[in-house]
Amino acid sequence: MAASSGFVHMVYFWLNEGAGDAEAKTLVAGARRNLSAIPGVLRIDVGYAAGTDREVVDNSYGVGLIVEFACPTDHDVYQDHPGHLKFIVECSHLWSRLRVYDTIVAR
């Protein structure tokens, strides 16, 4: 296995039935507001399914979030940080389900 030098946390949110642009924008804004200042976060990107027209692409989610850390320990701190917990409290009513993919970056 190659040496690792990073940790990427990817979260995909399926919005509640009947949700529209306003709910998606609220979720995006909540993620940016609550998660970007958490210590250890190197990068945060949040946006919408691209609608890429390829059979292997899943466009069924409403909002995607990518958070990059230097190491898994920084991710562990993030998980229990008040900003992350506040995001969940403020925004969890907007999604019906989510899926998380965590990746250790090999260089």
XYZ file of all heavy atoms in Angstrom:
827
model
N 0.848 -1.180 0.000
C 0.000 0.000 0.000
C 0.890 1.238 0.000
O 1.873 1.310 0.721
C -0.913 -0.020 1.224
C -1.909 1.100 1.233
S -3.328 0.745 2.287
C -2.989 1.798 3.668
N 0.513 2.248 -0.776
C 1.280 3.493 -0.855
C 1.149 4.282 0.440
O 0.196 4.118 1.197
C 0.779 4.326 -2.026
N 2.124 5.145 0.682
C 2.083 6.000 1.871
C 0.878 6.933 1.790
O 0.555 7.471 0.738
C 3.369 6.816 1.965
N 0.189 7.099 2.900
C -0.976 7.981 2.906
C -0.586 9.381 3.370
O 0.332 9.556 4.158
C -2.058 7.412 3.810
O -1.622 7.390 5.140
N -1.269 10.349 2.818
C -0.968 11.729 3.198
C -2.205 12.591 3.072
O -2.158 13.683 2.537
C 0.161 12.280 2.327
O -0.240 12.271 0.973
N -3.310 12.101 3.534
C -4.530 12.891 3.498
C -5.750 12.040 3.757
O -5.687 10.807 3.749
N -6.839 12.717 3.986
C -8.103 12.047 4.287
C -9.207 12.880 3.650
O -9.288 14.089 3.885
C -8.302 11.967 5.807
C -9.430 11.082 6.231
C -9.191 9.778 6.623
C -10.731 11.555 6.255
C -10.224 8.956 7.029
C -11.778 10.744 6.658
C -11.530 9.436 7.053
N -10.038 12.249 2.832
C -11.131 12.943 2.171
C -12.455 12.326 2.632
O -12.642 11.108 2.567
C -11.001 12.869 0.640
C -12.162 13.590 -0.031
C -9.678 13.475 0.188
N -13.346 13.196 3.101
C -14.661 12.826 3.627
C -15.702 13.326 2.624
O -15.825 14.526 2.406
C -14.820 13.502 4.996
C -16.118 13.313 5.683
N -16.553 12.088 6.124
C -17.072 14.211 6.046
C -17.726 12.250 6.741
N -18.060 13.524 6.689
N -16.388 12.386 1.963
C -17.384 12.745 0.951
C -18.757 12.311 1.435
O -18.944 11.158 1.841
C -17.051 12.058 -0.369
C -15.723 12.512 -0.951
S -15.098 11.430 -2.251
C -14.459 10.056 -1.287
N -19.701 13.251 1.425
C -21.050 12.973 1.907
C -22.037 13.360 0.809
O -21.951 14.457 0.249
C -21.375 13.759 3.192
C -22.723 13.350 3.752
C -20.275 13.583 4.234
N -22.966 12.455 0.512
C -23.991 12.705 -0.494
C -25.342 12.673 0.199
O -25.659 11.726 0.924
C -23.891 11.665 -1.618
C -22.556 11.803 -2.317
C -21.443 11.091 -1.873
C -22.394 12.721 -3.340
C -20.205 11.270 -2.474
C -21.154 12.906 -3.942
C -20.077 12.177 -3.505
O -18.846 12.367 -4.084
N -26.125 13.738 -0.018
C -27.407 13.933 0.653
C -28.554 13.789 -0.352
O -28.537 14.430 -1.406
C -27.497 15.340 1.258
C -26.435 15.660 2.265
C -25.238 16.234 1.873
C -26.641 15.416 3.611
C -24.259 16.559 2.796
C -25.665 15.730 4.549
C -24.470 16.291 4.146
N -29.546 12.992 -0.012
C -30.779 12.917 -0.771
C -31.791 13.770 -0.033
O -32.083 13.539 1.148
C -31.257 11.469 -0.886
C -30.499 10.709 -1.918
C -30.916 10.446 -3.195
C -29.203 10.111 -1.793
N -29.949 9.734 -3.873
C -28.878 9.521 -3.031
C -28.260 10.040 -0.763
C -27.688 8.854 -3.259
C -27.072 9.390 -0.992
C -26.793 8.805 -2.225
N -32.298 14.778 -0.704
C -33.237 15.706 -0.088
C -34.590 15.037 0.107
O -34.921 14.057 -0.568
C -33.372 16.959 -0.952
C -32.061 17.707 -1.195
C -32.279 18.855 -2.170
C -31.464 18.218 0.109
N -35.368 15.597 1.014
C -36.706 15.074 1.273
C -37.570 15.144 0.021
O -37.388 16.011 -0.835
C -37.375 15.874 2.399
C -36.708 15.650 3.725
O -36.290 14.548 4.042
N -36.605 16.700 4.520
N -38.517 14.238 -0.067
C -39.477 14.225 -1.171
C -40.113 15.603 -1.302
O -40.531 16.207 -0.310
C -40.562 13.173 -0.891
C -41.541 12.989 -2.003
C -40.960 12.203 -3.157
O -40.097 11.331 -2.932
O -41.374 12.453 -4.290
N -40.135 16.116 -2.505
C -40.747 17.416 -2.768
C -39.841 18.607 -2.536
O -40.235 19.747 -2.792
N -38.627 18.375 -2.048
C -37.692 19.488 -1.811
C -37.256 20.068 -3.153
O -37.204 19.366 -4.164
C -36.480 19.009 -1.022
N -36.926 21.347 -3.135
C -36.508 22.016 -4.357
C -35.211 22.773 -4.173
O -34.425 22.496 -3.264
N -35.012 23.756 -5.026
C -33.787 24.551 -5.013
C -33.561 25.261 -3.685
O -32.431 25.365 -3.224
C -33.805 25.589 -6.138
C -33.639 24.963 -7.509
O -33.226 23.787 -7.596
O -33.918 25.662 -8.502
N -34.621 25.762 -3.078
C -34.474 26.507 -1.821
C -33.890 25.619 -0.722
O -32.988 26.040 0.013
C -35.815 27.087 -1.381
N -34.373 24.395 -0.620
C -33.875 23.478 0.404
C -32.430 23.081 0.117
O -31.610 22.999 1.036
C -34.770 22.245 0.504
C -36.130 22.518 1.107
C -37.157 23.067 0.114
O -36.847 23.186 -1.098
O -38.267 23.374 0.560
N -32.127 22.835 -1.151
C -30.749 22.492 -1.517
C -29.807 23.640 -1.188
O -28.728 23.434 -0.618
C -30.669 22.139 -3.000
N -30.198 24.867 -1.504
C -29.367 26.042 -1.207
C -29.197 26.236 0.298
O -28.130 26.631 0.762
C -29.964 27.284 -1.849
C -29.804 27.299 -3.350
C -30.461 28.521 -3.974
C -30.296 28.480 -5.483
N -30.954 29.611 -6.147
N -30.241 25.949 1.068
C -30.155 26.047 2.530
C -29.148 25.040 3.077
O -28.348 25.359 3.969
C -31.540 25.825 3.169
O -32.426 26.850 2.702
C -31.469 25.861 4.688
N -29.158 23.831 2.538
C -28.210 22.803 2.968
C -26.775 23.205 2.611
O -25.866 23.089 3.439
C -28.576 21.461 2.338
C -27.711 20.258 2.698
C -27.626 20.056 4.206
C -28.252 19.010 2.023
N -26.574 23.700 1.407
C -25.246 24.149 0.982
C -24.752 25.269 1.887
O -23.611 25.243 2.375
C -25.264 24.597 -0.497
C -23.999 25.344 -0.868
C -25.457 23.393 -1.408
N -25.594 26.248 2.147
C -25.206 27.381 2.996
C -24.903 26.921 4.420
O -23.945 27.389 5.047
C -26.308 28.440 2.999
N -25.705 25.998 4.941
C -25.471 25.479 6.284
C -24.146 24.754 6.396
O -23.432 24.881 7.396
N -23.792 23.990 5.375
C -22.505 23.284 5.377
C -21.364 24.284 5.365
O -20.429 24.172 6.167
C -22.413 22.345 4.182
N -21.422 25.245 4.481
C -20.343 26.247 4.407
C -20.208 27.015 5.715
O -19.109 27.237 6.209
C -20.599 27.213 3.259
C -20.328 26.615 1.911
C -20.410 27.655 0.808
N -20.115 27.050 -0.469
C -20.836 27.238 -1.562
N -21.881 28.034 -1.549
N -20.496 26.633 -2.681
N -21.334 27.442 6.266
C -21.334 28.265 7.483
C -20.784 27.498 8.689
O -20.012 28.043 9.477
C -22.763 28.756 7.750
C -22.927 29.616 8.978
C -24.363 30.113 9.171
N -25.326 29.022 9.300
C -26.212 28.668 8.358
N -26.263 29.290 7.203
N -27.047 27.667 8.577
N -21.177 26.262 8.838
C -20.846 25.514 10.052
C -19.582 24.678 9.975
O -18.980 24.382 11.005
C -22.020 24.599 10.431
C -23.212 25.370 10.925
O -23.131 26.067 11.923
N -24.322 25.260 10.220
N -19.173 24.266 8.779
C -18.085 23.297 8.674
C -16.748 23.892 8.267
O -15.701 23.350 8.606
C -18.476 22.194 7.676
C -19.786 21.465 7.968
C -20.081 20.450 6.866
C -19.784 20.824 9.338
N -16.746 24.992 7.557
C -15.500 25.502 6.975
C -14.493 26.012 8.002
O -13.290 26.006 7.732
C -15.796 26.588 5.938
O -16.479 27.657 6.533
N -14.945 26.439 9.166
C -14.021 26.993 10.167
C -13.571 25.962 11.198
O -12.862 26.313 12.143
C -14.679 28.179 10.870
N -13.945 24.707 11.015
C -13.548 23.678 11.973
C -12.050 23.424 11.831
O -11.540 23.249 10.727
C -14.350 22.380 11.748
C -15.830 22.634 12.043
C -13.803 21.245 12.619
C -16.739 21.460 11.743
N -11.321 23.421 12.955
C -9.876 23.164 12.889
C -9.587 21.834 12.197
O -10.278 20.838 12.413
C -9.465 23.116 14.366
C -10.508 23.896 15.081
C -11.781 23.659 14.324
N -8.588 21.844 11.337
C -8.191 20.646 10.620
C -8.786 20.533 9.225
O -8.318 19.738 8.415
N -9.820 21.323 8.935
C -10.413 21.304 7.597
C -9.484 22.057 6.653
O -9.243 23.248 6.830
C -11.827 21.926 7.597
C -12.329 22.113 6.168
C -12.787 21.064 8.402
N -8.952 21.362 5.657
C -8.079 21.991 4.672
C -8.875 22.580 3.517
O -8.491 23.584 2.934
C -7.084 20.969 4.112
C -6.140 20.326 5.110
C -5.275 19.289 4.407
C -5.282 21.385 5.787
N -9.956 21.902 3.160
C -10.753 22.318 2.002
C -12.163 21.797 2.187
O -12.371 20.692 2.688
C -10.149 21.733 0.729
C -10.934 21.998 -0.538
C -10.247 21.384 -1.755
N -10.265 19.948 -1.753
C -11.040 19.197 -2.545
N -11.856 19.755 -3.393
N -10.970 17.885 -2.486
N -13.124 22.608 1.787
C -14.511 22.168 1.770
C -15.123 22.597 0.446
O -14.966 23.737 0.018
C -15.305 22.720 2.980
C -16.741 22.207 2.955
C -15.262 24.216 3.040
C -17.520 22.501 4.220
N -15.750 21.656 -0.223
C -16.486 21.920 -1.455
C -17.880 21.334 -1.279
O -18.033 20.203 -0.807
C -15.813 21.275 -2.668
C -14.510 21.949 -3.041
O -14.481 23.191 -3.089
O -13.524 21.236 -3.270
N -18.876 22.104 -1.649
C -20.247 21.635 -1.529
C -21.032 22.141 -2.735
O -20.840 23.266 -3.181
C -20.874 22.078 -0.172
C -20.901 23.567 -0.010
C -22.240 21.471 0.051
N -21.866 21.269 -3.297
C -22.621 21.657 -4.481
C -23.671 20.620 -4.832
O -24.081 19.831 -3.996
N -24.074 20.642 -6.088
C -25.221 19.882 -6.555
C -24.798 18.799 -7.551
O -23.765 18.921 -8.204
C -26.219 20.838 -7.218
C -26.455 22.075 -6.379
C -25.865 23.291 -6.718
C -27.214 22.016 -5.221
C -26.060 24.419 -5.939
C -27.404 23.145 -4.426
C -26.824 24.338 -4.792
O -27.006 25.442 -4.009
N -25.639 17.773 -7.692
C -25.375 16.721 -8.676
C -25.207 17.368 -10.049
O -25.995 18.228 -10.447
C -26.512 15.708 -8.686
N -24.181 16.956 -10.760
C -23.846 17.576 -12.042
C -24.762 17.139 -13.181
O -24.797 17.790 -14.222
C -22.393 17.268 -12.404
N -25.467 16.049 -13.007
C -26.334 15.575 -14.066
C -25.578 14.969 -15.241
O -26.089 14.928 -16.362
N -24.371 14.503 -14.976
C -23.537 13.904 -16.014
C -24.273 12.722 -16.651
O -24.761 11.840 -15.949
C -22.205 13.428 -15.408
O -21.639 14.494 -14.653
C -21.235 12.982 -16.475
N -24.339 12.717 -17.974
C -25.097 11.709 -18.705
C -24.214 10.520 -19.078
O -23.763 10.383 -20.213
C -25.711 12.331 -19.966
C -26.672 11.380 -20.655
O -27.148 10.419 -20.004
O -26.944 11.595 -21.853
N -23.938 9.684 -18.058
C -23.189 8.444 -18.258
C -23.824 7.383 -17.390
O -24.226 7.659 -16.259
C -21.715 8.627 -17.861
C -20.950 9.527 -18.808
C -19.494 9.748 -18.397
N -18.807 8.525 -18.037
C -17.985 8.424 -16.978
N -17.751 9.462 -16.189
N -17.383 7.293 -16.713
N -23.888 6.177 -17.892
C -24.566 5.088 -17.185
C -23.980 4.822 -15.793
O -24.697 4.447 -14.872
C -24.503 3.815 -18.028
C -25.330 2.692 -17.466
C -25.346 1.486 -18.381
O -25.461 1.675 -19.600
O -25.232 0.373 -17.847
N -22.695 5.026 -15.614
C -22.040 4.704 -14.344
C -22.159 5.822 -13.305
O -21.735 5.647 -12.169
C -20.552 4.361 -14.555
C -20.410 3.113 -15.403
C -19.796 5.537 -15.158
N -22.728 6.952 -13.674
C -22.823 8.100 -12.765
C -24.164 8.080 -12.042
O -25.217 7.965 -12.658
C -22.646 9.431 -13.527
C -22.831 10.615 -12.591
C -21.280 9.488 -14.192
N -24.111 8.224 -10.718
C -25.317 8.310 -9.887
C -25.641 9.785 -9.680
O -24.938 10.487 -8.953
C -25.079 7.611 -8.545
C -26.287 7.658 -7.626
O -27.305 8.301 -7.972
O -26.215 7.049 -6.543
N -26.688 10.269 -10.314
C -27.135 11.653 -10.167
C -28.369 11.766 -9.274
O -29.052 12.786 -9.288
C -27.469 12.241 -11.546
C -26.235 12.512 -12.364
O -25.384 13.287 -11.961
N -26.136 11.866 -13.514
N -28.647 10.738 -8.490
C -29.888 10.720 -7.717
C -29.827 11.556 -6.441
O -30.863 11.854 -5.854
C -30.258 9.276 -7.364
O -29.305 8.704 -6.484
N -28.657 11.975 -6.015
C -28.533 12.778 -4.797
C -28.791 14.254 -5.118
O -28.750 14.674 -6.262
C -27.156 12.584 -4.149
C -26.009 13.134 -4.965
C -25.524 14.415 -4.731
C -25.426 12.388 -5.972
C -24.489 14.935 -5.488
C -24.397 12.887 -6.739
C -23.929 14.164 -6.491
O -22.909 14.678 -7.251
N -29.046 15.037 -4.074
C -29.313 16.458 -4.273
C -28.128 17.348 -4.005
O -27.901 18.331 -4.707
N -27.358 17.032 -2.969
C -26.218 17.858 -2.560
C -25.046 16.943 -2.224
O -25.218 15.906 -1.570
C -26.566 18.736 -1.330
C -25.346 19.460 -0.786
C -27.659 19.745 -1.684
N -23.861 17.338 -2.680
C -22.632 16.613 -2.367
C -21.680 17.502 -1.589
O -21.582 18.699 -1.853
N -21.005 16.909 -0.625
C -20.061 17.624 0.238
C -18.736 16.881 0.238
O -18.707 15.662 0.417
C -20.618 17.686 1.665
C -19.696 18.165 2.773
C -19.401 19.657 2.632
C -20.317 17.875 4.132
N -17.649 17.617 0.037
C -16.300 17.049 0.125
C -15.520 17.873 1.129
O -15.448 19.099 1.014
C -15.580 17.070 -1.235
C -16.355 16.227 -2.249
C -14.141 16.574 -1.092
C -15.840 16.339 -3.653
N -14.952 17.197 2.125
C -14.134 17.866 3.138
C -12.793 17.148 3.167
O -12.735 15.927 3.287
C -14.784 17.826 4.535
C -13.969 18.650 5.529
C -16.229 18.315 4.488
N -11.716 17.930 3.055
C -10.366 17.360 3.030
C -9.631 17.687 4.324
O -9.694 18.829 4.815
C -9.602 17.916 1.837
C -8.221 17.322 1.693
C -7.476 17.874 0.482
O -8.037 18.674 -0.276
O -6.305 17.494 0.327
N -8.920 16.691 4.830
C -8.118 16.806 6.052
C -6.700 16.326 5.772
O -6.477 15.543 4.851
C -8.709 15.938 7.169
C -10.156 16.207 7.470
C -11.154 15.485 6.835
C -10.515 17.182 8.375
C -12.490 15.728 7.104
C -11.854 17.435 8.657
C -12.843 16.706 8.014
N -5.764 16.718 6.603
C -4.384 16.257 6.469
C -4.236 14.806 6.898
O -3.385 14.081 6.375
C -3.440 17.145 7.278
N -5.085 14.373 7.847
C -4.938 13.029 8.396
C -6.256 12.555 9.006
O -7.136 13.368 9.290
C -3.827 13.005 9.445
S -4.171 14.037 10.879
N -6.401 11.262 9.242
C -7.615 10.740 9.853
C -7.918 11.330 11.233
O -9.082 11.483 11.600
C -7.355 9.230 9.944
C -6.381 8.953 8.853
C -5.504 10.170 8.808
N -6.891 11.676 11.986
C -7.109 12.258 13.314
C -7.857 13.583 13.216
O -8.743 13.866 14.028
C -5.764 12.453 14.041
O -5.115 11.182 14.125
C -5.964 13.002 15.438
N -7.516 14.402 12.214
C -8.242 15.666 12.020
C -9.710 15.406 11.687
O -10.590 16.145 12.130
C -7.596 16.492 10.912
C -6.247 17.069 11.316
O -5.930 17.084 12.528
O -5.505 17.498 10.407
N -9.968 14.358 10.931
C -11.351 13.980 10.633
C -12.086 13.580 11.903
O -13.253 13.928 12.099
C -11.388 12.828 9.620
C -12.728 12.204 9.493
N -13.062 11.048 10.156
C -13.831 12.578 8.809
C -14.314 10.742 9.877
N -14.801 11.648 9.067
N -11.412 12.844 12.794
C -12.034 12.420 14.046
C -12.410 13.626 14.909
O -13.481 13.649 15.525
C -11.105 11.484 14.822
C -10.871 10.173 14.087
O -11.637 9.845 13.146
O -9.894 9.476 14.435
N -11.550 14.632 14.941
C -11.840 15.868 15.678
C -13.067 16.547 15.068
O -13.966 17.001 15.780
C -10.616 16.810 15.672
C -10.977 18.194 16.197
C -9.474 16.206 16.481
N -13.108 16.622 13.759
C -14.223 17.228 13.016
C -15.554 16.578 13.389
O -16.562 17.267 13.586
C -13.927 17.072 11.529
C -15.074 17.253 10.572
C -15.353 18.502 10.021
C -15.842 16.163 10.166
C -16.383 18.658 9.103
C -16.864 16.316 9.252
C -17.137 17.560 8.725
O -18.147 17.708 7.823
N -15.572 15.250 13.473
C -16.819 14.533 13.737
C -17.480 14.967 15.042
O -18.709 15.033 15.121
C -16.573 13.021 13.756
C -16.381 12.422 12.390
C -17.611 12.557 11.510
O -18.742 12.378 11.940
N -17.382 12.891 10.256
N -16.689 15.270 16.065
C -17.226 15.648 17.373
C -17.229 17.151 17.615
O -17.637 17.603 18.688
C -16.423 14.958 18.491
C -16.594 13.448 18.458
O -17.703 12.979 18.134
O -15.609 12.738 18.739
N -16.782 17.928 16.636
C -16.686 19.379 16.803
C -18.084 20.014 16.873
O -19.002 19.589 16.159
C -15.893 19.990 15.641
C -15.562 21.413 15.854
N -16.432 22.437 15.541
C -14.458 22.003 16.370
C -15.884 23.593 15.847
N -14.675 23.354 16.357
N -18.269 21.028 17.725
C -19.570 21.700 17.833
C -20.107 22.230 16.500
O -21.321 22.223 16.278
C -19.303 22.839 18.813
C -18.164 22.357 19.647
C -17.307 21.533 18.712
N -19.239 22.673 15.605
C -19.696 23.155 14.299
C -20.338 22.057 13.469
O -21.358 22.275 12.804
N -19.758 20.865 13.505
C -20.324 19.722 12.788
C -21.653 19.308 13.407
O -22.641 19.071 12.704
C -19.328 18.556 12.804
C -19.801 17.353 12.073
N -20.066 16.173 12.704
C -20.066 17.156 10.749
C -20.468 15.282 11.806
N -20.482 15.851 10.610
N -21.690 19.268 14.731
C -22.920 18.897 15.420
C -24.019 19.925 15.186
O -25.195 19.583 15.008
C -22.649 18.703 16.908
C -21.602 17.626 17.238
C -21.344 17.578 18.732
C -22.002 16.273 16.679
N -23.651 21.205 15.127
C -24.615 22.274 14.846
C -25.168 22.127 13.429
O -26.368 22.310 13.197
C -23.960 23.639 15.025
C -24.908 24.796 14.831
C -24.223 26.126 15.089
C -25.193 27.275 14.868
N -24.528 28.576 14.987
N -24.305 21.808 12.468
C -24.754 21.567 11.101
C -25.815 20.470 11.072
O -26.858 20.611 10.418
C -23.566 21.190 10.205
C -23.969 20.617 8.881
C -24.563 21.409 7.913
C -23.760 19.275 8.607
C -24.944 20.871 6.685
C -24.132 18.735 7.383
C -24.731 19.535 6.435
N -25.576 19.387 11.771
C -26.529 18.280 11.801
C -27.862 18.729 12.393
O -28.932 18.464 11.828
C -25.943 17.074 12.567
C -24.752 16.504 11.802
C -27.008 16.003 12.804
C -23.920 15.510 12.592
N -27.808 19.447 13.512
C -29.044 19.918 14.157
C -29.806 20.875 13.241
O -31.022 20.767 13.078
C -28.725 20.594 15.515
C -29.921 21.346 16.052
C -28.242 19.559 16.521
N -29.099 21.814 12.621
C -29.735 22.830 11.786
C -30.245 22.297 10.454
O -31.205 22.832 9.901
C -28.757 23.975 11.497
C -28.488 24.869 12.667
C -27.578 26.031 12.311
O -27.149 26.163 11.143
O -27.282 26.828 13.216
N -29.600 21.274 9.903
C -29.889 20.892 8.516
C -30.428 19.485 8.316
O -30.879 19.166 7.208
C -28.630 21.091 7.673
S -28.107 22.813 7.567
N -30.410 18.642 9.325
C -30.809 17.246 9.105
C -32.267 17.105 8.678
O -32.631 16.103 8.060
C -30.527 16.393 10.341
O -31.284 16.841 11.436
N -33.088 18.096 8.968
C -34.489 18.033 8.532
C -34.632 18.178 7.014
O -35.696 17.915 6.458
C -35.315 19.126 9.231
C -34.998 20.511 8.762
N -33.879 21.201 9.199
C -35.621 21.308 7.869
C -33.845 22.384 8.591
N -34.892 22.471 7.783
N -33.547 18.557 6.325
C -33.589 18.795 4.886
C -33.355 17.524 4.059
O -33.679 17.489 2.882
C -32.549 19.846 4.487
C -32.760 21.229 5.097
C -31.525 22.086 4.893
C -34.003 21.882 4.492
N -32.751 16.487 4.660
C -32.448 15.286 3.891
C -33.187 14.071 4.429
O -33.507 13.977 5.607
C -30.950 15.019 3.819
C -30.244 14.659 5.103
C -30.265 13.454 5.746
C -29.387 15.494 5.886
N -29.477 13.486 6.864
C -28.921 14.735 6.978
C -28.946 16.812 5.765
C -28.054 15.238 7.938
C -28.087 17.320 6.730
C -27.652 16.537 7.796
N -33.434 13.135 3.499
C -34.104 11.885 3.863
C -33.098 10.774 4.123
O -33.379 9.833 4.861
C -35.076 11.458 2.764
O -34.390 11.286 1.531
N -31.933 10.887 3.483
C -30.852 9.931 3.726
C -29.550 10.543 3.244
O -29.543 11.536 2.517
C -31.108 8.585 3.056
C -30.932 8.566 1.564
C -31.229 7.171 0.995
N -31.004 7.109 -0.424
C -29.973 6.526 -1.003
N -29.042 5.939 -0.267
N -29.843 6.505 -2.311
N -28.468 9.921 3.670
C -27.149 10.331 3.199
C -26.266 9.112 3.102
O -26.543 8.069 3.677
C -26.535 11.415 4.091
C -26.306 11.101 5.580
C -25.028 10.333 5.804
C -26.265 12.388 6.357
N -25.184 9.267 2.354
C -24.191 8.206 2.203
C -22.828 8.857 2.352
O -22.584 9.922 1.795
C -24.337 7.545 0.839
C -23.336 6.470 0.535
C -23.473 5.231 1.372
N -24.696 4.512 1.037
C -25.205 3.572 1.792
N -24.626 3.219 2.904
N -26.301 2.966 1.441
N -21.952 8.225 3.125
C -20.619 8.756 3.384
C -19.579 7.828 2.763
O -19.666 6.601 2.897
C -20.356 8.877 4.908
C -18.937 9.329 5.182
C -21.363 9.810 5.556
N -18.588 8.432 2.111
C -17.431 7.724 1.590
C -16.191 8.420 2.122
O -15.960 9.598 1.826
C -17.395 7.730 0.048
C -18.580 7.031 -0.563
C -19.712 7.734 -0.919
C -18.553 5.650 -0.770
C -20.808 7.074 -1.479
C -19.636 4.996 -1.324
C -20.762 5.718 -1.673
O -21.841 5.071 -2.224
N -15.417 7.733 2.940
C -14.170 8.261 3.481
C -13.010 7.581 2.774
O -12.997 6.358 2.607
C -14.071 8.008 4.988
C -15.024 8.877 5.801
O -15.421 9.948 5.305
O -15.372 8.467 6.914
N -12.025 8.386 2.360
C -10.904 7.859 1.604
C -9.597 8.359 2.180
O -9.432 9.555 2.443
C -11.002 8.334 0.126
O -12.229 7.856 -0.412
C -9.843 7.823 -0.699
N -8.658 7.432 2.399
C -7.291 7.803 2.745
C -6.553 7.983 1.434
O -6.525 7.086 0.596
C -6.621 6.744 3.628
C -7.343 6.694 4.985
C -5.134 7.034 3.792
C -6.836 5.616 5.906
N -5.978 9.161 1.255
C -5.306 9.499 0.009
C -3.934 8.850 -0.040
O -3.134 9.002 0.882
C -5.181 11.031 -0.146
C -4.451 11.385 -1.430
C -6.559 11.685 -0.098
N -3.673 8.124 -1.102
C -2.364 7.484 -1.310
C -1.565 8.342 -2.288
O -2.080 8.757 -3.318
C -2.539 6.074 -1.858
N -0.348 8.589 -1.936
C 0.522 9.390 -2.818
C 1.768 8.608 -3.125
O 2.226 7.824 -2.415
C 0.881 10.708 -2.145
C -0.370 11.499 -1.792
C -0.072 12.974 -1.838
N -1.106 13.721 -1.162
C -2.179 14.230 -1.773
N -2.351 14.076 -3.058
N -3.065 14.913 -1.099
